[in-house]
Amino acid sequence: MLTPMESGAAELQQLTAASGIFSYIWIIIALPLAGAAFLLLAGRRTNKWGHYVAIAMVWASFALGLAMFFTMLGEPAEDRGVTQHLYTWFNVGGFTADVGFQLDQLSMIFVLLITGVGGLIHIYSVGYMADDPDRRKFFAYLNLFVAAMLLLVLADNFALLYFGWEGVGLASYLLVGFWQYKPSAAAAAKKAFVMNRVGDFGLALGVFLIFATFGTVAYPQVFAAAPEASTTVINIIGVLLLVGACAKSAQFPLHAWLFDAMEGPTPASALIHGATMVAAGTVVVGRLFPLYAESTDARLVLAVLAAATTVYTAVMAFTQNDVKKLLAYSTMSQVALMLGALAAAPAEEHGAAGLDHLVSHAVFKALLFLGAGWLAAIGGCTAFALLRGRMKGWGVLPVSFGLGLAALAGIPPTIGFVSKDGVVAAAREGTTTGAHIVLYATYLTVFLTAMYATRAYLVLVSGDPEKPDHHDDSHTPPPTGASYTLVAGVIGTLGLLSLVGGAAFLVQGAHIDPTVAAVSVGIALLGVLVSWALSRRPGGDPATVLPQAWARATQVNLGTDRVYAGFAAGVVALARVVVRLDNAVVDALPRGLASGATALGDHQVHHLRREHPLQ
């Protein structure tokens, strides 16, 4: 598990310009940001080679982060937190916001995760977007996304975190709606943007209340003062910040946007669902854990929401008829497990199990989404009905996709098994009110996840394709497949390194409780067996065991979009009523005064003309 960290000022070294490599923390963010600006401003002249600039910027950030990682690794554990202050952003009425960065064990692992997995997605995109006339813009948006996520995880205060938070929202809007000529993509981008604005509003209110309570937005000062603050205020702050986290991480009831975000190109889905955006909520809760350690009510709310979301979305995933949509629901479910671990874990563990699962999930989910992109290149779509048996004979794809699904299901010895075991253990050992809720929801989710992961693999590798002549006998992989083979190998290596422990800096040692492991693996294997048994039925799809009415309902997210539409219509109707009241009541007085003054003036003018007619 990730080494627990304290964020107090006493544990941070204040850097100067002479602090060696750590004086260049800002460059980690500046490189992809510069790549995005260059590609957007240079225009079409960079169409043929601009994507290489984007790739170089991300990998340069990764190289710099890796150098800092090894430098930090040589320091004592208590000296592995550093900060860098660049300048004061603004100072208004006692409100001061600095441009400063905090690089510690938590932010370090996310720097490597964002730039490493993000860089692999950039490489994959070269083949995937080879025929798109706007490939340069796509790579610019990918760079912008990476820069915004890096700013979010490296910020040393709430104001800068919020700036990065909004940058992630903008970049995700551009990526989801990249194929804006498709009405469905434009609608999905708008839906994601609007629903995330709801969360942004909650986050903003939380930041305002933090400043009003503590007089600062700097992490160390806020965390140091949190134990002395009013419990009621801390709970309110915790719940407000959760609104933002739930929206970005697609948790109930602000979850529906992620399902439609599949309209974006597959690399964008891998970046949003696997490595970065949906992890933003978990990153924020993890970073602000010292606040949540003092907020028992907020952690209970988080536990209930996480438990409801993980079970609900796992049930929905089982009946999906599209690979990407199944993976979308599984993303919501797995992120809920991360947040549930943060809600249930003992305070002294600092939510490490949830953050471990975040890293694990980023590795195998990116692999699965990129595999789905290759499937789309093979079959022309990602619908299960048209991809049945289509994965056979495509080299590394069946193996890598199968390992990704095994990690998703938590089957040993994959990295998913290790991190999922940590989530279960955290829930078992938790002392919070919601710990047992999270534990039982996790067990049920493990069973359901194993069922839909097994179902997906059996459908894709068994039976005969409906169009067996779709590809020739040479089995020459498309450009997507060639880039996927390279990326899959690197991601697999990353997963193996994480499994065996990686550096002691990041992992305390994969301690696995035999009892916890036996129970969770037994539940997962039961899910595999049930799904396999159901696949022996006529039709070969385990999902056919459920009533057709339920299956159809799950394809439209149980009608939640209608609920949102009704809510939006109610808000619009209320706004119209308010406007009418404003016109009829609020504006009536100034209009009446103006009309009275005009009438009085006209009367005086008329009177003067009668008394003093023109000669």
Side-chain angles (χ1 to χ4, degrees):
M1 292 190 296
L2 295 176
T3 304
M5 295 166 305
E6 298 289 341
S7 298
E11 298 186 10
L12 297 174
Q13 301 175 33
Q14 294 296 327
L15 296 183
T16 64
S19 297
I21 192 171
F22 293 111
S23 62
Y24 302 110
I25 296 175
W26 63 275
I27 295 182
I28 294 177
I29 303 170
L31 285 170
L33 184 61
F38 173 76
L39 292 179
L40 292 174
L41 296 176
R44 296 181 179 178
R45 69 193 73 178
T46 64
N47 279 351
K48 293 183 179 180
W49 48 269
H51 50 283
Y52 295 118
V53 174
I55 293 172
M57 293 297 101
V58 174
W59 283 110
S61 286
F62 175 79
L64 182 57
L66 197 62
M68 292 182 182
F69 164 71
F70 284 115
T71 302
M72 192 178 288
L73 192 61
E75 299 292 331
E78 63 273 12
D79 294 331
R80 289 176 180 170
V82 295
T83 60
Q84 180 187 35
H85 178 268
L86 291 184
Y87 58 89
T88 297
W89 186 5
F90 56 83
N91 188 342
V92 179
F95 178 74
T96 301
D98 296 326
V99 174
F101 307 110
Q102 178 172 319
L103 185 65
D104 53 20
Q105 290 154 293
L106 179 63
S107 52
M108 185 78 261
I109 191 172
F110 288 121
V111 166
L112 296 179
L113 178 68
I114 294 165
T115 55
V117 178
L120 292 173
I121 291 171
H122 275 66
I123 293 174
Y124 175 87
S125 300
V126 175
Y128 189 89
M129 302 295 291
D131 299 325
D132 196 295
D134 290 324
R135 180 169 63 172
R136 168 185 57 85
K137 287 185 179 179
F138 183 76
F139 275 86
Y141 298 157
L142 288 180
N143 263 203
L144 179 62
F145 196 110
V146 169
M149 274 301 303
L150 289 170
L151 178 61
L152 190 154
V153 301
L154 285 170
D156 72 345
N157 62 80
F158 287 93
L160 201 59
L161 174 143
Y162 188 81
F163 193 74
W165 188 270
E166 293 294 342
V168 170
L170 171 62
S172 65
Y173 171 79
L174 296 173
L175 287 170
V176 173
F178 184 75
W179 288 328
Q180 54 188 292
Y181 57 84
K182 295 167 56 179
S184 57
K190 181 174 67 174
K191 183 177 182 179
F193 188 80
V194 171
M195 293 195 73
N196 274 280
R197 292 306 298 169
V198 176
D200 297 348
F201 182 67
L203 183 68
L205 290 178
V207 174
F208 296 156
L209 186 54
I210 285 171
F211 175 73
T213 303
F214 302 105
T216 180
V217 291
Y219 292 157
Q221 288 85 343
V222 171
F223 296 158
E228 306 301 325
S230 165
T231 302
T232 301
V233 172
I234 291 295
N235 283 327
I236 294 174
I237 290 174
V239 171
L240 288 174
L241 296 178
L242 280 183
V243 175
C246 287
K248 273 290 190 292
S249 293
Q251 299 297 286
F252 184 85
L254 300 173
H255 65 288
W257 67 268
L258 193 64
F259 181 81
D260 296 295
M262 294 293 94
E263 294 293 338
T266 294
S269 299
L271 196 63
I272 292 172
H273 290 248
T276 50
M277 181 170 172
V278 294
T282 309
V283 171
V284 168
V285 175
R287 169 60 74 193
L288 308 183
F289 196 84
L291 276 179
Y292 284 100
E294 306 295 331
S295 178
T296 54
D297 290 347
R299 292 184 73 186
L300 176 59
V301 171
L302 178 59
V304 172
L305 289 178
T309 302
T310 191
V311 174
Y312 164 70
T313 50
V315 170
M316 298 288 288
F318 182 69
T319 55
Q320 292 306 304
N321 55 19
D322 183 278
V323 176
K324 287 181 68 175
K325 291 180 179 179
L326 178 147
L327 294 178
Y329 275 116
S330 80
T331 296
M332 300 180 202
S333 184
Q334 296 300 303
V335 172
L337 285 181
M338 305 170 201
L339 292 171
L342 288 167
E348 61 273 13
E349 291 189 6
H350 298 270
L355 299 174
D356 276 348
H357 195 56
L358 188 158
V359 177
S360 167
H361 177 263
V363 173
F364 65 72
K365 186 53 67 68
L367 184 65
L368 287 170
F369 266 108
L370 299 184
W374 192 357
L375 283 169
I378 295 170
C381 67
T382 53
F384 278 118
L386 298 179
L387 290 176
R388 181 174 179 81
R390 192 63 61 79
M391 198 160 61
K392 292 185 296 185
W394 284 98
V396 71
L397 180 59
V399 176
S400 61
F401 204 81
L403 288 175
L405 289 172
L408 175 64
I411 303 298
T414 62
I415 185 176
F417 158 70
V418 177
S419 61
K420 179 210 64 181
D421 179 78
V423 171
V424 175
R428 282 170 57 97
E429 298 168 6
T431 56
T432 62
T433 308
H436 287 88
I437 300 174
V438 172
L439 178 63
Y440 297 133
T442 300
Y443 280 144
L444 183 54
T445 301
V446 168
F447 174 76
L448 294 170
T449 303
M451 283 192 66
Y452 68 71
T454 303
R455 176 218 171 199
Y457 193 74
L458 291 175
V459 170
L460 292 172
V461 301
S462 63
D464 296 321
E466 292 187 7
K467 300 177 182 179
D469 60 343
H470 186 77
H471 53 80
D472 58 35
D473 294 333
S474 64
H475 296 285
T476 301
T480 298
S483 57
Y484 174 80
T485 302
L486 170 63
V487 170
V490 178
I491 288 180
T493 303
L494 290 174
L496 180 62
L497 290 175
S498 299
L499 175 62
V500 299
F505 161 83
L506 295 177
V507 183
Q508 290 185 346
H511 173 69
I512 299 176
D513 186 317
T515 303
V516 173
V519 173
S520 59
V521 171
I523 293 173
L525 291 178
L526 178 62
V528 171
L529 290 174
V530 170
S531 190
W532 177 82
L534 293 175
S535 71
R536 315 306 295 173
R537 294 162 50 89
D541 188 343
T544 57
V545 70
L546 297 175
Q548 288 299 308
W550 170 259
R552 286 192 298 268
T554 59
Q555 303 307 312
V556 293
N557 202 14
L558 299 186
T560 52
D561 283 348
R562 294 184 178 180
V563 176
Y564 294 132
F567 179 77
V571 172
V572 171
L574 179 61
R576 287 173 177 167
V577 171
V578 171
V579 169
R580 289 172 182 170
L581 288 174
D582 181 75
N583 290 332
V585 179
V586 178
D587 290 347
L589 179 60
R591 281 202 302 266
L593 291 175
S595 298
T598 301
L600 181 60
D602 290 343
H603 174 75
Q604 290 297 325
V605 169
H606 181 69
H607 177 72
L608 290 173
R609 286 178 177 174
R610 292 183 58 187
E611 293 292 330
H612 307 282
L614 294 175
Q615 301 296 326

